[in-house]
Amino acid sequence: MLKFRKIDYDKDVDEIIKLLNANFETDHAKEAFLWKHFANPFGQSYGLLAVDNHKIVALRMFMRWEFICDNKIIKAIRPVDTCTDHAYRGRGLFKKITLQGLENIRDEYELIFNTPNENSKPGYLKMGWKPIDGNFSYKVGLINFLKRAEKFEEIPSSKIVFDKLWVEEFPCQTNISRAYLEWRYADEAYRIAKFDDGGIVVYKLTKLKGIKSIILVDSFGDKQRSTQRLISVCSKNKAKAVYFLENQKNKHLKFLLKLDRGTQAVVSKDDEFGISGKIAFSVGDLEGRI
């Protein structure tokens, strides 16, 4: 008889990592799991485990998140990492453990949202999730290098000087703070450009069809200067293009040419305040590692 129980971070993480690595063609690390679910400044993830005679055979993690909309903090839950042992598949555990976990913490959130892939999206829709109306289109923009580049400093996330005005840039967005930014962009894969006026560009280096490019993960500061900052970042890194999410956060960006690179599915449930269609997401909010 399978039983469900809450995760014990002191005792269960090693066995969970073994379960993940045994059932997926990926290399899950304990440090990354704890960063994501234990050290999150929005609060520790709620984890629900399916156990058979003391053996963990399935798990579902419910990551805590916060939005700030019209100066009100909205508590959200992101059902993320899930895994079922091969020997226990076909029993409907994904649906059972997801719905049971959400019921267990029902008083702790005002919105559920996540970013399913094409394989998992139908399952969420059957459980009552609804697609968020909005533009989640990824684009590639070609930079105009005829404009002058500005100097900037590369800093770690711990050196970001948080400006409260960033929270007011959009009426509805992730509830950013100094603690959030330090945690979210601590990984060395992220590069952080700090400009003289305090503006910040968080980016990654990549190649698109062999062309050196950057991924615009997030940006903060005067949006009228966003294009100039990107030109400066690309110039220093000898990158010719920018991969970005085209939405209200990036409406000020100007490129010589824009090309479509697909869309991102975002779904929500139990949206008590009707905010899901108003949220200004960044690439950082929707990245797969989250």
Side-chain angles (χ1 to χ4, degrees):
M1 177 70 70
L2 292 180
K3 295 182 179 180
F4 289 160
R5 69 167 174 83
K6 179 182 176 181
I7 187 175
D8 183 333
Y9 281 100
D10 291 328
K11 299 177 181 179
D12 293 328
V13 176
D14 286 334
E15 188 176 352
I16 286 171
I17 298 302
K18 289 180 181 178
L19 176 70
L20 291 169
N21 287 329
N23 289 276
F24 292 120
E25 295 179 359
T26 52
D27 184 16
H28 288 80
K30 181 177 180 179
E31 293 76 15
F33 184 90
L34 290 174
W35 165 82
K36 181 175 179 178
H37 295 298
F38 189 76
N40 180 356
F42 294 137
Q44 293 177 11
S45 298
Y46 176 78
L48 191 62
L49 310 177
V51 179
D52 186 1
N53 193 25
H54 304 294
K55 177 186 176 183
I56 299 172
V57 298
L59 84 149
R60 186 55 148 149
M61 301 301 297
F62 302 87
M63 192 177 190
R64 301 183 196 276
W65 206 260
E66 288 182 5
F67 296 103
I68 185 162
C69 297
D70 298 323
N71 297 315
K72 177 180 174 59
I73 294 177
I74 307 296
K75 299 288 187 180
I77 288 291
R78 305 179 72 159
V80 283
D81 301 319
T82 184
C83 180
T84 301
D85 188 285
H86 284 290
Y88 292 80
R89 294 182 183 179
R91 304 186 187 186
L93 269 178
F94 168 75
K95 181 177 181 179
K96 291 176 184 177
I97 202 169
T98 298
L99 295 180
Q100 183 62 60
L102 290 172
E103 179 61 28
N104 290 353
I105 54 172
R106 184 61 191 91
D107 295 336
E108 300 180 30
Y109 63 83
E110 296 147 323
L111 168 68
I112 307 167
F113 82 106
N114 56 344
T115 54
N117 58 35
E118 290 305 311
N119 292 328
S120 60
K121 182 179 175 181
Y124 286 108
L125 297 181
K126 287 180 180 179
M127 288 189 289
W129 269 254
K130 297 183 184 302
I132 293 179
D133 293 330
N135 186 3
F136 301 106
S137 298
Y138 289 102
K139 306 278 187 179
V140 173
L142 300 182
I143 285 292
N144 181 3
F145 284 107
L146 296 178
K147 294 189 176 182
R148 181 178 63 87
E150 298 178 7
K151 291 183 178 180
F152 60 86
E153 179 186 3
E154 294 272 4
I155 62 170
S157 65
S158 59
K159 294 292 182 67
I160 296 176
V161 178
F162 174 68
D163 189 334
K164 290 183 179 180
L165 291 176
W166 296 348
V167 183
E168 301 172 4
E169 287 179 331
F170 302 97
C172 195
Q173 62 177 319
T174 290
N175 186 22
I176 58 173
S177 63
R178 183 184 180 281
Y180 166 79
L181 294 172
E182 182 174 351
W183 165 81
R184 179 64 186 86
Y185 298 121
D187 193 284
E188 293 181 355
Y190 299 105
R191 299 195 175 195
I192 303 169
K194 176 188 174 184
F195 289 81
D196 288 343
D197 67 348
I200 295 288
V201 175
V202 183
Y203 68 100
K204 288 181 177 181
L205 295 177
T206 189
K207 283 192 174 182
L208 300 172
K209 295 189 180 298
I211 299 172
K212 194 170 186 181
S213 307
I214 70 165
I215 300 171
L216 176 58
V217 179
D218 221 331
S219 65
F220 306 97
D222 183 359
K223 294 305 176 188
Q224 299 298 331
R225 299 193 60 213
S226 296
T227 299
Q228 183 61 45
R229 292 194 188 106
L230 278 184
I231 290 170
S232 303
V233 169
C234 286
S235 178
K236 183 174 180 178
N237 289 281
K238 296 181 171 55
K240 295 186 170 83
V242 178
Y243 179 90
F244 68 102
L245 181 65
E246 186 174 65
N247 63 0
Q248 63 265 47
K249 256 199 166 185
N250 295 319
K251 66 181 180 181
H252 297 293
L253 295 179
K254 293 180 173 57
F255 298 97
L256 293 175
L257 177 67
K258 290 189 297 186
L259 304 172
D260 291 329
R261 289 290 290 185
T263 59
Q264 171 71 61
V266 186
V267 295
S268 69
K269 189 175 184 289
D270 297 342
D271 184 359
E272 293 185 10
F273 297 97
I275 69 158
S276 57
K278 304 174 184 177
I279 301 168
F281 287 104
S282 69
V283 169
D285 295 327
L286 305 179
E287 267 192 315
R289 77 185 310 246
I290 292 290

